Amino acid sequence: PEFTLKSQLASGVIKLLQGETDEIQSILNSTKESIPSSKDATINTLLWLILKNVSSYFKGEYSNIINDLVMLANFCQNVKMYALDPVIRGLLVKIALREGHAEEAENLAYDLFYKCSNNQWALGALVNWFMYCEIAIYKENYEEAIKVAEKALDALLLPFLPDSVRTFLTKKR
């Protein structure tokens, strides 16, 4: 059962990175009951919540996930999962922007970029460049959007970056 649970959650993460969200609900349904009694219940719960909330984000279901995303980001920070924290906080930036709160999105993005830069979280900084570009386009500041997009593209082409991350960041949603 433990191996099956972990393989189903891993499959969900891979599908999420590939942008294939259709099958994630069935993975969530089939794993929910076995997580509390699993050996690594905390990590499995974290992965389950990430799958649930990020797939909801991709479906445009923002109102139900904001509190979960804040909780997840704080949890990731507390357990030192620094690769996930900025990605989750980046989703909060995107939600604020999509709901028409450009100033709030910009403030969240600025705080996130500062945090990523100070802690040398390259993936977080890269995700944040995409956020800044979207904010600049939303505010019709196209020159700034081009400057930021060029920096993001340079970073996106770095050879150490996994293809799954490139796909995730560049797939149109």
Side-chain angles (χ1 to χ4, degrees), residues 3-156:
F3 178 76
T4 302
L5 173 64
K6 287 191 179 299
S7 63
Q8 286 178 309
L9 291 172
S11 171
V13 169
I14 290 167
K15 290 183 182 311
L16 193 62
L17 288 172
Q18 294 172 336
E20 299 172 15
T21 57
D22 294 340
E23 296 175 40
I24 291 178
Q25 191 58 48
S26 66
I27 292 170
L28 292 171
N29 292 339
S30 68
T31 57
K32 185 176 185 176
E33 299 300 319
S34 57
I35 288 177
S37 62
S38 66
K39 181 178 165 187
D40 297 320
T42 302
I43 296 299
N44 292 336
T45 300
L46 176 67
L47 287 173
W48 192 90
L49 286 169
I50 288 169
L51 287 174
K52 174 185 170 274
N53 288 292
V54 175
S55 65
S56 292
Y57 167 81
F58 288 149
K59 294 175 191 171
E61 300 167 358
Y62 307 133
S63 60
N64 298 331
I65 65 171
I66 293 172
N67 290 335
D68 278 355
L69 289 175
V70 170
M71 185 239 355
L72 277 171
N74 291 334
F75 178 80
C76 288
Q77 187 174 350
N78 290 338
V79 297
K80 298 178 174 35
M81 295 183 87
Y82 299 125
L84 287 175
D85 179 32
V87 174
I88 293 168
R89 291 184 193 278
L91 289 176
L92 290 168
V93 172
K94 290 181 74 79
I95 289 170
L97 187 61
R98 295 236 167 112
E99 293 192 342
H101 306 290
E103 292 303 316
E104 180 184 351
E106 194 166 25
N107 290 336
L108 288 168
Y110 178 79
D111 291 344
L112 180 58
F113 190 74
Y114 182 77
K115 183 179 188 178
C116 291
S117 296
N118 282 344
N119 292 297
Q120 298 179 345
W121 299 339
L123 179 58
L126 177 59
V127 168
N128 214 46
W129 279 339
F130 278 85
M131 303 300 131
Y132 268 121
C133 189
E134 281 191 47
I135 291 167
I137 290 170
Y138 182 87
K139 294 174 101 180
E140 298 181 3
N141 187 348
Y142 302 115
E143 288 180 28
E144 182 68 17
I146 290 169
K147 280 196 257 182
V148 172
E150 287 172 347
K151 288 180 185 178
L153 183 59
D154 288 343
L156 194 62

